[in-house]
């Protein structure tokens, strides 16, 4: 047996998926700005007229899934957030909570600021920590900094700067 997401039973507005014996219900909502397409809470995108689920491609740069709708490529995690979250995501990041870019389930996504997204990446070990010498330390301690331009997030071994 494979522990893979398999389609079990299509229905009008939803379908059931099974993953490792756990049954999940899939809901589709219309994507704002792309009225001919729907996205599900599990990260599938389909054409409303044909009912066909679109093929997702992996982008080369960051390893995120995207689909070709509206004359261009759209990231699936952003489409899920646009459809299911009430707040506007313009200018904000959509964070994958578990750090897996391939997991576009609604339960794995949250809307955050760029600062929060970068902080999460460092805390989760998704980005390598830059090591610098802190000029405020008595000795040459290594300091973990988040982004280099965000001075209020610098920390050193002697305490917060």
């Amino acid at each position: 047996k494979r522990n893979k997401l398999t389609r079990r039973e299509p229905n009008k507005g939803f379908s059931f998926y099974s993953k490792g014996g756990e049954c999940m219900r899939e809901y589709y909502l219309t994507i704002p700005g792309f009225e001919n397409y729907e996205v599900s809470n599990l990260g599938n995108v389909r054409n409303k007229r044909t009912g066909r689920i679109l093929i997702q491609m992996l982008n080369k740069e960051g390893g995120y899934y995207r689909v070709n709708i509206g004359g261009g490529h759209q990231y699936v995690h952003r489409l899920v957030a646009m459809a299911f979250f009430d707040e506007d995501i313009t200018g904000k990041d959509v964070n994958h909570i578990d750090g897996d870019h391939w997991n576009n389930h609604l339960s794995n996504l949250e809307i955050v600021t760029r600062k929060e997204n970068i902080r999460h990446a460092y805390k989760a070990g998704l980005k390598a920590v830059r090591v610098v010498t802190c000029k405020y330390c008595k000795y040459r301690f290594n300091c973990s900094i988040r982004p280099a331009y965000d001075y209020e997030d610098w920390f050193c071994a002697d305490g917060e700067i």
Side-chain angles (χ1 to χ4, degrees), residues 42-143:
L42 300 181
N44 293 316
V45 183
R46 74 177 177 190
N47 188 317
K48 284 173 77 172
R49 285 181 277 163
T50 63
R52 193 177 123 242
I53 294 179
L54 302 182
I55 295 172
Q56 298 183 9
M57 301 165 284
L58 208 57
N59 82 332
K60 294 177 184 175
E61 297 85 32
Y64 293 96
Y65 280 119
R66 62 186 183 173
V67 292
N68 190 11
I69 62 173
H73 297 291
Q74 303 294 328
Y75 289 108
V76 174
H77 63 282
R78 292 194 66 82
L79 294 176
V80 172
M82 286 169 57
F84 284 92
F85 290 112
D86 290 334
E87 64 182 287
D88 184 24
I89 67 168
T90 306
K92 295 193 178 179
D93 288 359
V94 179
N95 182 36
H96 292 81
I97 297 169
D98 66 358
D100 181 6
H101 297 181
W102 296 355
N103 183 359
N104 291 314
H105 290 207
L106 177 62
S107 60
N108 185 47
L109 301 177
E110 63 181 348
I111 298 174
V112 295
T113 62
R114 175 59 54 100
K115 181 178 179 178
E116 292 169 335
N117 200 15
I118 292 171
R119 182 175 288 158
H120 174 264
Y122 280 106
K123 284 183 179 178
L126 303 173
K127 285 194 175 208
V129 176
R130 298 180 200 140
V131 179
V132 297
T133 302
C134 177
K135 66 180 182 181
Y136 298 107
C137 290
K138 186 175 179 182
Y139 305 102
R140 296 186 63 145
F141 289 111
N142 291 332
C143 301

Side-chain angles (χ1 to χ4, degrees), residues 13 27-32 37-41 48 80 83-85:
Y27 297 92
Y28 282 89
L29 291 179
T30 302
I31 304 168
Y37 297 93
E38 297 174 317
V39 67
S40 77
N41 59 327
K48 284 173 77 172
V80 172
F84 284 92
F85 290 112

